[in-house]
Amino acid sequence: VDDARAVVDYMRPRLARAGEVVIREGETRHSDFMALLLDGEVTVESSVAAAHDSMVVSVLGPGSLIGDMALIDGAPRAA
């Protein structure tokens, strides 16, 4: 709990509008942040190369962290 509070102290609130892409799969620039979802839902999608479409991987709600893996390992965004 103390570790989580320490991380949250460094975060800044940001409002994302419905339908806005917050993180894009494969992105290597701007991978120096993660987000804590406070309200609403985020749909996590992965590209489907053959269909030039996307597939829903997960739907996340309040309390979920997004973008944390790229922040930790520096790899391109996974979804």
Side-chain angles (χ1 to χ4, degrees):
V1 174
D2 289 337
D3 290 340
R5 286 192 180 125
V7 170
V8 170
D9 286 343
Y10 287 97
M11 297 178 125
R12 292 175 294 160
R14 180 178 176 273
L15 177 65
R17 306 239 181 255
E20 178 182 348
V21 175
V22 177
I23 294 173
R24 190 170 303 279
E25 181 180 12
E27 187 174 55
T28 55
R29 294 181 56 195
H30 310 296
S31 62
D32 59 347
F33 74 94
M34 67 178 179
L36 172 63
L37 185 59
L38 298 177
D39 188 34
E41 292 182 338
V42 170
T43 302
V44 179
E45 300 177 358
S46 183
S47 297
V48 180
H52 299 291
D53 207 357
S54 62
M55 173 179 66
V56 174
V57 174
S58 181
V59 177
L60 304 174
S64 298
L65 281 175
I66 58 173
D68 51 321
M69 289 309 298
L71 178 65
I72 292 168
D73 65 15
R77 301 290 189 173

